[in-house]
Each structure stands twice: as structure tokens, then as C-alpha cells.
């Protein structure tokens, strides 16, 4: 186990210093079920935009599509941010891609741009191995968003993984990153997320989609969408993934709606 303890007060200090919204208040837990669930509880009780929940260990960390997110103590980053977007649910649909782009910005800074890829919609990979994942939980009334909970899991020190993910997971330590201090990485992660979300808020996806495409590793790859095999044909302007299927049809697939498995890599 590493001695790299998390310092929530330092994260708050860094946030206030850079005049940011994310991380001005940080709730830290040695151990919790899921930081997304705790952040949702805070949001229901009126937590402000940018409140961060961070834990050293999660007992029931969640991934997309109901998977488990392995969350051992003292190793990685598990954090969630409360967002209160002013937009309707349809307008924020591509937000998950923007968050993946932000996490990949940080990974590229720490590891070198040429090594980092994005697997649509928001897995951050180094080569073919997963470094980080993003989970967005939305609460809305009709189309009006009450709050979003943005949860990020980023592997930092871990070098031994559960057998179920050992061949597909990696960490900053395994990849030889120059920075491995979890507190400093958390501050940089929050800054990256806020910067990209501000861009998205101001200009929508139009200017970001080319950067997302540049990191997309699915293009031309065989994929499986809800049991059907096809080939990824790139990301459309609205953020959906274009997939051509074996039966000759082409569909635009929404982020969050499907499980996408690349095979043959
Ligand atoms: C995925 O790739 O499937 C998404 C993984 C998201 C994991 C993070 S860890 C912090 C937050 N709390 C959770 O329970 N899940 C997210």
C-alpha cells in the first residue's frame, strides 16, 4: 500500500487559488459505498455546483452498465462532482464525451499525448488498457436537469488488479507517469474537467468534437452493440457513434445507451 494520503483541504485550497468552482468544498471519506451515491445525497440536500466527494476506498464502486468499479484503499482516485447545468437533458447528452476528453487531457499531460486514447464514449486508455472511466448519473424532471453527478475513477498507484480486469487495466504508476501524488492529480483533474465543461457550456460540442475524434481509437474497429456486430465509422457532429452493421445498415448510437466492446484488438 502506498503512503500517498489524500489531502482534501489542499484540493480546496488549490481550487480557490485558481478561482475555480469545482473543489471549493471537498467532502472526504476514508471509506464509502460509492462517491456518486454520496454526491447524489448531497445534491438532493442542496449541495452547490462543484461540490466534490472523494474517498480513499469504495465498498460498492460502480461502473457503467452495472459493472463493479474495483476501488481498493490507498491506491487510486475515486471522486464525484455535483453539477447543476442550466441546460435541458437533450442539450447535455454529449457531456459524457466531453468529460472523457477532459480526463484524457490530464492523462496526455502525465504520459504523453501519443499514448492516450479515448474509447467512445468515455473510457480513457493507454494503448489498449483502461486507465480511467467516467460515470454520469442524471436527475431530471421531464427534460429539466436537477443535477448531474460526474464520477471519475482514475488508477494511480495500483499495479496488481483483480483477475477479472488484470489483462485490460493499467495505472499511472504502471505507465511510468512523472506525477503520482493523488492530491495534486485530483486538483489537476478537477481543473481539466472544469475547463472542458466551460468550453462545452460556451460553444457546445462543435469545436470539441474534432479533438475527441483525434483521440478516438474505435474508428474502423469491429464493435459489438447490443449483441450485434459492426464496424465503428467515427463520431458524428452530435457525439453519437456511427456504426455499420453486418446486415448492411448503419446506425447512430447514443452514449450511455449501449455497451460497446471492441474485439480483435
Ligand atoms: C466506467 O468506466 O464504467 C465508469 C467508472 C466510474 C468509476 C467512478 S469511481 C468514483 C465514482 N463512484 C462510483 O461508484 N463510480 C465512479
Amino acid at each position: 500500500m502506498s503512503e500517498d494520503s489524500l489531502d482534501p483541504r489542499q484540493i480546496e485550497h488549490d481550487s480557490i487559488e485558481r478561482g475555480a468552482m469545482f473543489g471549493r468544498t471537498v467532502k472526504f471519506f476514508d471509506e464509502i459505498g460509492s462517491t456518486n451515491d454520496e454526491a447524489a445525497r448531497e445534491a438532493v440536500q442542496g449541495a452547490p455546483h462543484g461540490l466534490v466527494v472523494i474517498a480513499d476506498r469504495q465498498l460498492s464502486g460502480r461502473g457503467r452498465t452495472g459493472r463493479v468499479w474495483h476501488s481498493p484503499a490507498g491506491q487510486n482516485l475515486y471522486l464525484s462532482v455535483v453539477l447543476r447545468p442550466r441546460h435541458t437533458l437533450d442539450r447535455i447528452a454529449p457531456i459524457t464525451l466531453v468529460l472523457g476528453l477532459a480526463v484524457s487531457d490530464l492523462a496526455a499531460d502525465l504520459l504523453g499525448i501519443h499514448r492516450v486514447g479515448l474509447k467512445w464514449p468515455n473510457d480513457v486508455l493507454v494503448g489498449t488498457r483502461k486507465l480511467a472511466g467516467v460515470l454520469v448519473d442524471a436527475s431530471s424532471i421531464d427534460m429539466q436537469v436537477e443535477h448531474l453527478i460526474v464520477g471519475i475513477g482514475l488508477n494511480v498507484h495500483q499495479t496488481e488488479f483483480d483477475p477479472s480486469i488484470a489483462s485490460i487495466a493499467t495505472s499511472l504508476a504502471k505507465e511510468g507517469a512523472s506525477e503520482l501524488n493523488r492530491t495534486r492529480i485530483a486538483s489537476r483533474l478537477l481543473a481539466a474537467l472544469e475547463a472542458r465543461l466551460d468550453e462545452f457550456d460556451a460553444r457546445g460540442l462543435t469545436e470539441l468534437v474534432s479533438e475527441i475524434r483525434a483521440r478516438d481509437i474505435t474508428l474502423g474497429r469491429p464493435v459489438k452493440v447490443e449483441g450485434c456486430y459492426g464496424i465503428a465509422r467515427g463520431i458524428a457532429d452530435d457525439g453519437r457513434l456511427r456504426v455499420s452493421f453486418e446486415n448492411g445498415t448503419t446506425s447512430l448510437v447514443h452514449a450511455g445507451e449501449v455497451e460497446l466492446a471492441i474485439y480483435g484488438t
Side-chain angles (χ1 to χ4, degrees):
M1 166 136 5
S2 81
E3 296 299 315
D4 176 23
S5 57
L6 283 161
D7 182 348
R9 301 294 79 84
Q10 182 65 46
I11 298 170
E12 287 174 343
H13 174 83
D14 293 345
S15 165
I16 291 161
E17 280 252 295
R18 62 173 191 274
M21 297 295 291
F22 288 13
R24 296 179 87 86
T25 305
V26 177
K27 303 241 166 178
F28 170 74
F29 296 84
D30 281 323
E31 195 173 274
I32 200 159
S34 155
T35 56
N36 263 38
D37 295 345
E38 180 60 25
R41 279 191 285 275
E42 290 282 351
V44 167
Q45 285 166 20
H49 179 77
L51 178 115
V52 170
V53 175
I54 187 165
D56 189 53
R57 175 187 186 203
Q58 293 186 118
L59 300 174
S60 29
R62 297 187 282 114
R64 291 178 60 244
T65 62
R67 281 176 306 214
V68 170
W69 189 259
H70 299 277
S71 309
Q75 299 283 316
N76 305 317
L77 280 180
Y78 321 112
L79 66 79
S80 303
V81 188
V82 174
L83 301 193
R84 296 201 179 272
R86 285 171 281 120
H87 307 293
T88 52
L89 208 50
D90 51 340
R91 168 82 164 71
I92 56 149
I95 207 170
T96 186
L97 275 82
V98 177
L99 296 165
L101 179 66
V103 181
S104 76
D105 288 339
L106 172 66
D109 275 357
L110 296 173
L111 297 170
I113 185 79
H114 57 284
R115 300 177 62 197
V116 175
L118 266 176
K119 184 182 131 193
W120 184 94
N122 55 21
D123 286 355
V124 178
L125 306 187
V126 184
T128 57
R129 285 173 179 257
K130 183 157 164 173
L131 176 73
V134 180
L135 176 69
V136 181
D137 292 324
S139 165
S140 61
I141 297 175
D142 299 325
M143 289 304 276
Q144 204 52 50
V145 181
E146 294 276 287
H147 63 254
L148 290 182
I149 306 299
V150 167
I152 315 285
L154 170 65
N155 296 333
V156 180
H157 294 290
Q158 196 172 358
T159 50
E160 303 289 325
F161 293 92
D162 186 85
S164 60
I165 55 168
S167 65
I168 54 166
T170 193
S171 66
L172 291 174
K174 266 187 101 129
E175 301 296 336
S178 48
E179 176 66 87
L180 291 174
N181 177 281
R182 286 189 298 167
T183 300
R184 285 197 289 271
I185 294 171
S187 285
R188 288 174 66 170
L189 176 61
L190 292 172
L193 292 168
E194 192 166 354
R196 286 301 192 180
L197 286 171
D198 282 352
E199 278 184 69
F200 176 63
D201 219 26
R203 292 184 289 279
L205 197 64
T206 319
E207 287 166 36
L208 296 173
V209 79
S210 57
E211 292 189 68
I212 294 169
R213 282 183 188 127
R215 292 186 199 168
D216 173 37
I217 55 99
T218 64
L219 184 65
R221 292 260 176 81
V223 294
K224 190 171 156 193
V225 180
E226 293 184 329
C228 299
Y229 292 99
I231 303 285
R233 298 296 182 196
I235 297 167
D237 289 347
D238 65 0
R240 288 183 293 171
L241 184 68
R242 189 172 284 110
V243 179
S244 59
F245 292 99
E246 284 176 335
N247 66 6
T249 60
T250 298
S251 292
L252 285 169
V253 176
H254 277 288
E257 283 185 352
V258 296
E259 169 69 351
L260 180 130
I262 297 179
Y263 62 97
T265 55

